[in-house]
Structures are given as C-alpha cells and as structure tokens.
Amino acid sequence: MSHEPPVPPDNQSPYPIEEPPHEHPAPLPPVAESDSGPPRALLIGGVAAAGLAVIGGVAAFLFRRKPGRKA
C-alpha cells in the first residue's frame, strides 16, 4: 500500500521522474601550449609596477605642499 495519493492521468507531470542515461563523448585532445606572448610572471610584474606608479602619483597629488603654507 502506497502513502501517496493517487494522481489522475491528466494531472501527471510531462517531465520524467528519472533522468535518462547519458552518453559521454570522447575526451578532448590536449591543447598544446604556445610560446607566443610574454611569460605570465612578466605580465603580473608589469601590472604591479603600473599600479604602484598610479598610487605614487595620487599620493604625490594629494599630499603636495602648497606655496605659502607653513608646515
């Protein structure tokens, strides 16, 4: 005896209760690494240097001494 109420045939879900089995395709071939472009460490270093330059420029602009002002 089931604990679920009966479901009329017109009220049943059009979606399956269980997912059908999947067919797995063959794995993709490995991708060859190309030697074009600079190494990743060089890119990271360049971005870090540019960021420090921007921070230094902003700090110099914000903390510049104004003429006639006594420190």
Side-chain angles (χ1 to χ4, degrees):
M1 186 169 181
S2 173
H3 292 287
E4 297 178 7
V7 179
D10 295 336
N11 198 21
Q12 291 186 2
S13 173
Y15 304 105
I17 294 174
E18 292 182 12
E19 195 170 333
H22 297 284
E23 291 183 21
H24 297 288
L28 296 174
V31 177
E33 292 184 21
S34 65
D35 291 334
S36 64
R40 187 177 194 99
L42 184 62
L43 287 174
I44 293 172
V47 169
L52 288 175
V54 169
I55 291 172
V58 169
F61 178 76
L62 292 176
F63 297 109
R64 68 177 186 245
R65 293 187 62 179
K66 296 185 172 81
R69 181 175 159 193
K70 295 182 180 179

